[in-house]
Coordinates of all heavy atoms in Angstrom, one line a residue:
M1 N -51.0 0.8 -37.1 CA -50.5 -0.6 -37.2 C -50.7 -1.1 -38.6 O -51.8 -0.9 -39.2 CB -51.2 -1.5 -36.1 CG -50.6 -2.8 -36.0 SD -51.4 -3.9 -34.8 CE -51.7 -2.9 -33.4
D2 N -49.7 -1.7 -39.1 CA -49.8 -2.3 -40.5 C -50.3 -3.7 -40.4 O -50.1 -4.4 -39.5 CB -48.4 -2.3 -41.1 CG -47.8 -1.0 -41.3 OD1 -48.5 0.0 -41.6 OD2 -46.5 -0.9 -41.3
L3 N -51.1 -4.0 -41.5 CA -51.6 -5.4 -41.6 C -51.2 -5.9 -43.0 O -51.4 -5.3 -44.0 CB -53.2 -5.3 -41.5 CG -53.9 -6.6 -41.8 CD1 -53.6 -7.6 -40.8 CD2 -55.4 -6.3 -41.9
K4 N -50.6 -7.1 -43.0 CA -50.2 -7.7 -44.3 C -50.9 -9.0 -44.4 O -51.0 -9.8 -43.5 CB -48.7 -7.9 -44.3 CG -47.9 -6.6 -44.2 CD -46.4 -6.9 -44.3 CE -45.6 -5.6 -44.3 NZ -44.2 -5.9 -44.3
V5 N -51.3 -9.3 -45.6 CA -52.0 -10.5 -45.9 C -51.2 -11.3 -46.9 O -50.8 -10.8 -47.9 CB -53.4 -10.3 -46.4 CG1 -54.1 -11.7 -46.7 CG2 -54.3 -9.5 -45.5
C6 N -50.8 -12.5 -46.5 CA -50.0 -13.4 -47.4 C -50.7 -14.7 -47.6 O -50.8 -15.5 -46.7 CB -48.6 -13.6 -46.7 SG -47.5 -14.7 -47.7
S7 N -51.2 -14.9 -48.8 CA -52.0 -16.1 -49.2 C -53.2 -16.2 -48.2 O -54.0 -15.3 -48.1 CB -51.2 -17.4 -49.1 OG -50.1 -17.3 -49.9
E8 N -53.3 -17.3 -47.5 CA -54.4 -17.6 -46.6 C -54.0 -17.2 -45.2 O -54.9 -17.1 -44.3 CB -54.8 -19.0 -46.6 CG -55.3 -19.5 -48.0 CD -55.6 -20.9 -48.0 OE1 -56.3 -21.4 -47.1 OE2 -55.1 -21.6 -49.0
L9 N -52.8 -16.8 -45.0 CA -52.3 -16.5 -43.6 C -52.3 -15.0 -43.4 O -51.9 -14.3 -44.3 CB -50.9 -17.1 -43.4 CG -50.8 -18.6 -43.5 CD1 -49.3 -19.0 -43.3 CD2 -51.6 -19.3 -42.4
K10 N -52.6 -14.6 -42.2 CA -52.6 -13.1 -41.9 C -51.5 -12.9 -40.9 O -51.3 -13.7 -39.9 CB -53.9 -12.7 -41.3 CG -55.0 -12.7 -42.3 CD -56.3 -12.1 -41.7 CE -57.4 -12.2 -42.7 NZ -58.7 -11.7 -42.1
F11 N -50.6 -12.0 -41.1 CA -49.5 -11.6 -40.2 C -49.8 -10.2 -39.7 O -50.0 -9.3 -40.5 CB -48.2 -11.7 -40.9 CG -47.8 -13.0 -41.5 CD1 -48.1 -13.4 -42.8 CD2 -47.2 -13.9 -40.6 CE1 -47.8 -14.6 -43.3 CE2 -46.9 -15.2 -41.1 CZ -47.2 -15.5 -42.4
Y12 N -49.8 -10.1 -38.4 CA -50.0 -8.8 -37.8 C -48.7 -8.3 -37.2 O -48.0 -9.1 -36.5 CB -51.0 -8.9 -36.6 CG -52.4 -9.4 -37.1 CD1 -52.8 -10.7 -37.1 CD2 -53.3 -8.4 -37.5 CE1 -54.0 -11.1 -37.6 CE2 -54.6 -8.8 -38.0 CZ -54.9 -10.1 -38.0 OH -56.1 -10.5 -38.5
I13 N -48.4 -7.1 -37.5 CA -47.1 -6.5 -37.0 C -47.5 -5.9 -35.6 O -48.4 -5.0 -35.6 CB -46.6 -5.5 -38.0 CG1 -46.2 -6.2 -39.2 CG2 -45.4 -4.8 -37.3 CD1 -45.7 -5.3 -40.3
M14 N -46.9 -6.3 -34.6 CA -47.2 -5.8 -33.3 C -46.7 -4.4 -33.0 O -45.6 -4.0 -33.6 CB -46.6 -6.8 -32.2 CG -47.2 -8.1 -32.2 SD -46.4 -9.2 -31.0 CE -46.6 -8.3 -29.5
A15 N -47.4 -3.7 -32.3 CA -47.0 -2.3 -31.9 C -45.8 -2.4 -30.9 O -45.7 -3.4 -30.2 CB -48.1 -1.6 -31.2
E16 N -44.9 -1.4 -30.9 CA -43.8 -1.4 -30.1 C -44.2 -1.1 -28.6 O -45.1 -0.3 -28.4 CB -42.8 -0.3 -30.5 CG -41.5 -0.3 -29.8 CD -40.5 0.7 -30.4 OE1 -40.7 1.2 -31.5 OE2 -39.5 1.0 -29.7
L17 N -43.6 -1.8 -27.7 CA -44.0 -1.6 -26.3 C -43.6 -0.1 -25.8 O -42.6 0.4 -26.2 CB -43.2 -2.5 -25.4 CG -43.6 -4.0 -25.5 CD1 -42.7 -4.9 -24.6 CD2 -45.0 -4.2 -25.1
K18 N -44.5 0.5 -25.0 CA -44.2 1.8 -24.5 C -43.4 1.8 -23.3 O -42.6 2.7 -23.1 CB -45.5 2.5 -24.3 CG -46.4 2.8 -25.5 CD -47.7 3.5 -25.2 CE -48.5 3.7 -26.4 NZ -49.8 4.3 -26.1
T19 N -43.5 0.8 -22.5 CA -42.8 0.6 -21.2 C -41.6 -0.3 -21.5 O -41.9 -1.5 -21.8 CB -43.7 0.1 -20.1 OG1 -44.8 1.0 -20.0 CG2 -42.9 0.1 -18.8
K20 N -40.4 0.2 -21.4 CA -39.2 -0.6 -21.7 C -38.3 -0.6 -20.5 O -38.2 0.4 -19.7 CB -38.5 -0.1 -22.9 CG -39.3 0.0 -24.1 CD -38.6 0.6 -25.3 CE -39.4 0.8 -26.5 NZ -38.7 1.4 -27.6
P21 N -37.5 -1.7 -20.4 CA -36.4 -1.7 -19.3 C -35.4 -0.6 -19.6 O -35.1 -0.3 -20.8 CB -35.8 -3.1 -19.4 CG -36.2 -3.6 -20.7 CD -37.4 -2.9 -21.2
N22 N -34.8 0.0 -18.6 CA -33.8 1.0 -18.8 C -32.8 0.9 -17.7 O -32.8 0.0 -16.8 CB -34.4 2.4 -18.8 CG -35.2 2.7 -17.6 OD1 -34.6 2.7 -16.5 ND2 -36.5 3.0 -17.7
D23 N -31.8 1.7 -17.7 CA -30.7 1.7 -16.7 C -30.8 2.7 -15.6 O -29.8 3.0 -14.9 CB -29.3 1.9 -17.5 CG -29.0 0.7 -18.4 OD1 -29.4 -0.4 -18.1 OD2 -28.4 1.0 -19.5
L24 N -32.0 3.3 -15.4 CA -32.2 4.2 -14.3 C -32.0 3.4 -13.0 O -32.4 2.3 -12.8 CB -33.6 4.8 -14.3 CG -33.9 5.7 -15.5 CD1 -35.4 6.1 -15.5 CD2 -33.0 6.9 -15.5
P25 N -31.3 4.0 -12.0 CA -31.1 3.3 -10.7 C -32.4 3.1 -9.9 O -33.1 4.1 -9.6 CB -30.1 4.3 -10.0 CG -29.6 5.2 -11.0 CD -30.6 5.3 -12.0
V26 N -32.6 1.9 -9.5 CA -33.8 1.5 -8.7 C -33.8 2.3 -7.4 O -34.8 2.8 -7.0 CB -33.9 0.0 -8.5 CG1 -35.0 -0.3 -7.6 CG2 -34.1 -0.7 -9.9
E27 N -32.6 2.4 -6.8 CA -32.5 3.0 -5.5 C -32.9 4.5 -5.6 O -33.5 5.0 -4.6 CB -31.0 2.8 -4.9 CG -30.7 1.4 -4.5 CD -30.4 0.5 -5.7 OE1 -30.2 1.0 -6.9 OE2 -30.3 -0.7 -5.5
D28 N -32.5 5.2 -6.7 CA -32.9 6.6 -6.8 C -34.4 6.7 -6.8 O -35.0 7.6 -6.2 CB -32.3 7.2 -8.1 CG -30.8 7.4 -8.0 OD1 -30.2 7.2 -6.9 OD2 -30.2 7.8 -9.0
F29 N -35.1 5.8 -7.6 CA -36.5 5.8 -7.6 C -37.1 5.6 -6.2 O -38.0 6.3 -5.7 CB -37.1 4.8 -8.6 CG -38.5 4.6 -8.5 CD1 -39.4 5.6 -8.9 CD2 -39.1 3.4 -8.0 CE1 -40.8 5.4 -8.8 CE2 -40.4 3.2 -7.9 CZ -41.3 4.2 -8.3
L30 N -36.6 4.6 -5.5 CA -37.2 4.3 -4.2 C -36.9 5.4 -3.2 O -37.7 5.6 -2.3 CB -36.6 2.9 -3.7 CG -37.0 1.7 -4.5 CD1 -36.3 0.4 -3.9 CD2 -38.5 1.5 -4.6
N31 N -35.7 6.0 -3.3 CA -35.4 7.1 -2.4 C -36.3 8.3 -2.6 O -36.4 9.2 -1.7 CB -34.0 7.6 -2.5 CG -33.1 6.7 -1.8 OD1 -33.4 6.3 -0.6 ND2 -31.9 6.3 -2.3
S32 N -37.0 8.4 -3.8 CA -37.9 9.5 -4.0 C -39.3 9.3 -3.4 O -40.2 10.2 -3.5 CB -38.1 9.8 -5.5 OG -38.8 8.7 -6.1
I33 N -39.6 8.1 -2.9 CA -40.9 7.8 -2.4 C -41.1 8.5 -1.0 O -40.3 8.5 -0.1 CB -41.1 6.3 -2.2 CG1 -41.0 5.6 -3.6 CG2 -42.3 5.9 -1.5 CD1 -41.0 4.1 -3.6
E34 N -42.3 9.1 -0.9 CA -42.7 9.7 0.4 C -44.0 9.1 0.8 O -44.8 8.6 -0.1 CB -42.9 11.2 0.2 CG -41.6 12.0 -0.1 CD -40.7 12.1 1.1 OE1 -41.2 11.9 2.3 OE2 -39.5 12.3 0.9
P35 N -44.3 9.0 2.1 CA -43.6 9.4 3.2 C -42.5 8.4 3.6 O -42.3 7.3 2.9 CB -44.6 9.4 4.3 CG -45.7 8.4 3.9 CD -45.7 8.5 2.4
E36 N -41.7 8.7 4.6 CA -40.5 7.9 4.9 C -40.9 6.4 5.2 O -40.1 5.5 4.8 CB -39.9 8.5 6.2 CG -38.6 7.7 6.6 CD -37.9 8.3 7.8 OE1 -38.4 9.2 8.4 OE2 -36.9 7.7 8.2
Q37 N -42.0 6.1 5.9 CA -42.3 4.7 6.2 C -42.6 3.9 4.9 O -42.2 2.8 4.8 CB -43.6 4.6 7.1 CG -43.9 3.2 7.5 CD -42.7 2.6 8.3 OE1 -42.2 3.1 9.2 NE2 -42.3 1.4 7.8
K38 N -43.2 4.6 3.9 CA -43.5 3.9 2.6 C -42.2 3.6 1.9 O -42.0 2.6 1.3 CB -44.4 4.8 1.8 CG -45.0 4.1 0.6 CD -46.0 5.1 -0.1 CE -46.7 4.4 -1.2 NZ -47.7 5.3 -1.8
R39 N -41.2 4.6 2.0 CA -39.9 4.4 1.4 C -39.2 3.2 2.1 O -38.6 2.3 1.4 CB -39.1 5.6 1.6 CG -37.7 5.6 0.9 CD -37.0 6.9 0.9 NE -37.0 7.6 2.1 CZ -37.7 8.7 2.4 NH1 -38.5 9.2 1.4 NH2 -37.6 9.3 3.5
K40 N -39.2 3.1 3.4 CA -38.6 2.0 4.2 C -39.2 0.7 3.8 O -38.5 -0.3 3.5 CB -38.7 2.2 5.7 CG -37.8 3.3 6.2 CD -38.1 3.4 7.7 CE -37.2 4.5 8.3 NZ -37.4 4.7 9.8
D41 N -40.5 0.7 3.7 CA -41.3 -0.6 3.2 C -40.8 -1.0 1.8 O -40.7 -2.1 1.5 CB -42.8 -0.3 3.3 CG -43.3 -0.2 4.7 OD1 -42.6 -0.5 5.7 OD2 -44.4 0.3 4.8
S42 N -40.6 0.0 1.0 CA -40.2 -0.3 -0.4 C -38.9 -0.9 -0.5 O -38.7 -1.9 -1.3 CB -40.2 1.0 -1.3 OG -41.5 1.6 -1.3
F43 N -37.9 -0.5 0.3 CA -36.6 -1.1 0.4 C -36.7 -2.5 0.9 O -36.0 -3.5 0.5 CB -35.6 -0.3 1.1 CG -35.0 0.8 0.3 CD1 -35.4 2.1 0.3 CD2 -34.0 0.5 -0.6 CE1 -34.9 3.1 -0.4 CE2 -33.4 1.5 -1.4 CZ -33.9 2.8 -1.3
L44 N -37.5 -2.7 1.9 CA -37.7 -4.1 2.5 C -38.3 -5.0 1.4 O -37.9 -6.1 1.2 CB -38.7 -4.0 3.7 CG -39.0 -5.3 4.4 CD1 -37.7 -6.0 4.9 CD2 -40.0 -5.1 5.5
L45 N -39.3 -4.5 0.7 CA -39.9 -5.3 -0.4 C -38.9 -5.6 -1.5 O -38.9 -6.7 -2.1 CB -41.1 -4.5 -0.9 CG -42.0 -5.3 -2.0 CD1 -42.5 -6.6 -1.5 CD2 -43.1 -4.4 -2.4
L46 N -38.1 -4.6 -1.8 CA -37.0 -4.8 -2.8 C -36.1 -6.0 -2.4 O -35.9 -6.9 -3.3 CB -36.2 -3.6 -2.9 CG -35.0 -3.6 -3.9 CD1 -35.5 -3.5 -5.3 CD2 -34.0 -2.5 -3.6
E47 N -35.7 -6.1 -1.2 CA -34.9 -7.2 -0.7 C -35.6 -8.5 -0.8 O -35.1 -9.6 -1.2 CB -34.3 -6.9 0.7 CG -33.3 -5.8 0.7 CD -32.1 -6.0 -0.2 OE1 -31.6 -7.2 -0.3 OE2 -31.8 -5.1 -1.0
M48 N -36.9 -8.5 -0.4 CA -37.7 -9.7 -0.4 C -37.9 -10.2 -1.8 O -37.7 -11.4 -2.1 CB -39.1 -9.5 0.2 CG -39.1 -9.2 1.7 SD -40.6 -8.7 2.4 CE -41.7 -10.0 1.9
M49 N -38.1 -9.3 -2.8 CA -38.3 -9.7 -4.2 C -37.0 -10.3 -4.8 O -37.0 -11.2 -5.6 CB -38.8 -8.6 -5.0 CG -40.3 -8.2 -4.7 SD -41.4 -9.5 -5.1 CE -41.3 -9.6 -6.9
K50 N -35.9 -9.7 -4.4 CA -34.6 -10.1 -4.9 C -34.3 -11.6 -4.5 O -33.9 -12.4 -5.3 CB -33.4 -9.2 -4.5 CG -33.4 -7.9 -5.2 CD -32.4 -6.9 -4.6 CE -31.0 -7.3 -4.5 NZ -30.1 -6.2 -4.0
R51 N -34.6 -11.8 -3.2 CA -34.4 -13.2 -2.7 C -35.4 -14.2 -3.3 O -35.0 -15.3 -3.6 CB -34.6 -13.2 -1.1 CG -33.4 -12.7 -0.4 CD -33.4 -13.1 1.1 NE -34.7 -12.9 1.7 CZ -35.1 -11.8 2.4 NH1 -34.2 -10.8 2.5 NH2 -36.3 -11.6 2.9
T52 N -36.6 -13.8 -3.4 CA -37.7 -14.7 -3.9 C -37.5 -15.0 -5.4 O -37.6 -16.1 -5.8 CB -39.1 -14.0 -3.7 OG1 -39.2 -13.8 -2.3 CG2 -40.2 -14.9 -4.2
T53 N -37.2 -14.0 -6.2 CA -37.1 -14.2 -7.7 C -35.7 -14.7 -8.1 O -35.5 -15.3 -9.2 CB -37.4 -12.9 -8.5 OG1 -36.4 -11.9 -8.2 CG2 -38.8 -12.4 -8.1
G54 N -34.7 -14.3 -7.3 CA -33.3 -14.6 -7.7 C -32.8 -13.7 -8.8 O -31.7 -13.9 -9.4
H55 N -33.5 -12.6 -9.1 CA -33.2 -11.6 -10.1 C -32.9 -10.3 -9.5 O -33.4 -9.9 -8.4 CB -34.3 -11.4 -11.1 CG -34.5 -12.7 -12.0 ND1 -33.7 -13.0 -13.0 CD2 -35.5 -13.6 -11.9 CE1 -34.2 -14.1 -13.6 NE2 -35.3 -14.5 -12.9
E56 N -32.0 -9.5 -10.1 CA -31.7 -8.1 -9.7 C -32.9 -7.3 -10.2 O -33.4 -7.5 -11.3 CB -30.4 -7.7 -10.3 CG -29.2 -8.3 -9.6 CD -29.1 -8.0 -8.1 OE1 -29.3 -6.8 -7.7 OE2 -29.0 -9.0 -7.3
P57 N -33.2 -6.2 -9.5 CA -34.3 -5.3 -9.9 C -33.8 -4.4 -11.1 O -32.6 -4.1 -11.3 CB -34.5 -4.4 -8.7 CG -33.2 -4.4 -8.0 CD -32.6 -5.8 -8.2
Q58 N -34.8 -4.1 -11.9 CA -34.5 -3.2 -13.0 C -35.7 -2.3 -13.2 O -36.9 -2.7 -13.1 CB -34.3 -4.0 -14.3 CG -33.9 -3.1 -15.5 CD -33.5 -3.9 -16.7 OE1 -33.9 -5.1 -16.8 NE2 -32.8 -3.3 -17.6
M59 N -35.4 -1.0 -13.5 CA -36.5 -0.1 -13.8 C -37.1 -0.3 -15.2 O -36.4 -0.6 -16.1 CB -36.0 1.4 -13.7 CG -35.6 1.8 -12.3 SD -37.0 1.8 -11.1 CE -38.1 3.0 -11.9
W60 N -38.4 -0.3 -15.2 CA -39.2 -0.3 -16.5 C -40.0 1.0 -16.6 O -40.8 1.2 -15.7 CB -40.2 -1.5 -16.5 CG -39.5 -2.8 -16.7 CD1 -38.7 -3.5 -15.9 CD2 -39.6 -3.7 -17.9 NE1 -38.2 -4.7 -16.4 CE2 -38.8 -4.8 -17.7 CE3 -40.2 -3.5 -19.1 CZ2 -38.7 -5.8 -18.6 CZ3 -40.1 -4.5 -20.0 CH2 -39.3 -5.7 -19.8
G61 N -39.6 1.8 -17.5 CA -40.2 3.1 -17.6 C -39.7 3.9 -16.4 O -38.6 3.7 -15.9
D62 N -40.4 4.9 -15.9 CA -39.9 5.7 -14.8 C -40.6 5.4 -13.5 O -40.2 6.0 -12.5 CB -40.1 7.2 -15.1 CG -41.6 7.6 -15.4 OD1 -42.4 6.7 -15.3 OD2 -41.8 8.7 -15.6
S63 N -41.4 4.4 -13.4 CA -42.1 4.1 -12.1 C -42.4 2.6 -11.8 O -43.2 2.3 -11.0 CB -43.4 4.9 -12.0 OG -44.3 4.6 -13.0
I64 N -41.8 1.7 -12.6 CA -42.1 0.3 -12.4 C -40.7 -0.4 -12.1 O -39.8 -0.3 -12.9 CB -42.8 -0.4 -13.6 CG1 -44.1 0.3 -13.9 CG2 -42.9 -1.9 -13.4 CD1 -44.7 -0.2 -15.2
V65 N -40.7 -1.2 -11.0 CA -39.5 -2.0 -10.7 C -39.8 -3.4 -11.1 O -40.8 -4.0 -10.6 CB -39.1 -1.8 -9.2 CG1 -37.9 -2.7 -8.9 CG2 -38.9 -0.4 -8.8
G66 N -39.0 -4.0 -12.0 CA -39.2 -5.4 -12.4 C -38.1 -6.3 -12.0 O -37.0 -5.8 -11.6
F67 N -38.4 -7.6 -11.9 CA -37.4 -8.6 -11.6 C -37.5 -9.7 -12.6 O -38.4 -10.5 -12.6 CB -37.8 -9.1 -10.2 CG -37.7 -8.1 -9.1 CD1 -38.7 -7.3 -8.8 CD2 -36.5 -8.0 -8.3 CE1 -38.6 -6.3 -7.8 CE2 -36.4 -7.1 -7.3 CZ -37.5 -6.2 -7.1
G68 N -36.5 -9.7 -13.5 CA -36.5 -10.7 -14.6 C -37.5 -10.4 -15.7 O -38.2 -9.4 -15.6
T69 N -37.6 -11.3 -16.7 CA -38.5 -11.1 -17.8 C -39.2 -12.5 -18.0 O -38.7 -13.5 -17.7 CB -37.9 -10.7 -19.1 OG1 -36.8 -11.6 -19.4 CG2 -37.2 -9.3 -18.9
Y70 N -40.3 -12.4 -18.7 CA -41.1 -13.6 -19.1 C -41.8 -13.3 -20.4 O -42.4 -12.3 -20.6 CB -42.1 -14.0 -18.0 CG -42.8 -15.3 -18.3 CD1 -42.2 -16.5 -18.0 CD2 -44.0 -15.3 -18.9 CE1 -42.9 -17.7 -18.3 CE2 -44.7 -16.5 -19.2 CZ -44.1 -17.7 -18.9 OH -44.7 -18.9 -19.2
H71 N -41.6 -14.3 -21.3 CA -42.3 -14.1 -22.6 C -43.6 -14.9 -22.6 O -43.5 -16.2 -22.5 CB -41.4 -14.5 -23.8 CG -42.0 -14.4 -25.1 ND1 -42.2 -13.2 -25.7 CD2 -42.5 -15.3 -25.9 CE1 -42.8 -13.3 -26.9 NE2 -43.0 -14.6 -27.0
Y72 N -44.7 -14.3 -22.7 CA -46.0 -15.0 -22.8 C -46.2 -15.5 -24.2 O -46.0 -14.8 -25.2 CB -47.1 -14.1 -22.4 CG -47.1 -13.7 -20.9 CD1 -46.5 -12.6 -20.4 CD2 -47.7 -14.6 -20.0 CE1 -46.5 -12.3 -19.1 CE2 -47.7 -14.3 -18.6 CZ -47.1 -13.1 -18.2 OH -47.0 -12.8 -16.9
K73 N -46.8 -16.7 -24.3 CA -47.2 -17.3 -25.6 C -48.7 -17.5 -25.6 O -49.2 -18.1 -24.6 CB -46.5 -18.6 -25.8 CG -45.0 -18.5 -25.9 CD -44.4 -19.9 -26.2 CE -42.9 -19.7 -26.3 NZ -42.2 -21.0 -26.4
Y74 N -49.3 -16.9 -26.5 CA -50.8 -16.9 -26.6 C -51.2 -18.0 -27.6 O -50.6 -18.1 -28.7 CB -51.3 -15.6 -27.0 CG -51.0 -14.5 -26.0 CD1 -49.9 -13.6 -26.2 CD2 -51.8 -14.3 -24.9 CE1 -49.6 -12.7 -25.2 CE2 -51.5 -13.4 -23.9 CZ -50.4 -12.5 -24.1 OH -50.1 -11.6 -23.2
A75 N -52.3 -18.7 -27.3 CA -52.8 -19.7 -28.2 C -53.5 -19.1 -29.4 O -53.9 -18.0 -29.4 CB -53.7 -20.6 -27.4

């Protein structure tokens, strides 16, 4: 990680995120879940999260299903 100092202010260059959203099909990931009951529960949870968040699901990395994004601001 690079560190630059400018006058009295310090600017830190953030590292790039390792887990990023992608276009992999969420359904393909959920269909790979075993055992069958866990897979059925996953699809039920998928529908609940879609209704609750109002967002469509999106894969983040190869094993995280996300719903929308949020930018945190730190003090």
Side-chain angles (χ1 to χ4, degrees):
M1 190 180 315
D2 295 328
L3 172 66
K4 294 182 180 180
V5 179
C6 179
S7 306
E8 298 176 49
L9 300 175
K10 293 182 181 179
F11 297 96
Y12 297 91
I13 298 174
M14 293 178 56
E16 188 174 346
L17 294 176
K18 294 179 183 178
T19 305
K20 299 177 186 179
N22 59 58
D23 293 327
L24 295 174
V26 171
E27 291 78 11
D28 287 356
F29 169 68
L30 296 181
N31 279 320
S32 71
I33 295 174
E34 292 290 337
E36 182 181 1
Q37 186 58 53
K38 195 173 185 180
R39 182 172 47 255
K40 288 179 181 179
D41 292 345
S42 298
F43 276 100
L44 179 62
L45 185 58
L46 178 74
E47 292 305 315
M48 291 171 58
M49 290 297 294
K50 285 169 61 172
R51 281 195 315 266
T52 301
T53 66
H55 293 283
E56 289 298 311
Q58 183 173 21
M59 291 299 299
W60 284 71
D62 60 358
S63 61
I64 299 172
V65 178
F67 296 84
T69 58
Y70 185 83
H71 180 75
Y72 290 93
K73 295 181 182 177
Y74 299 96

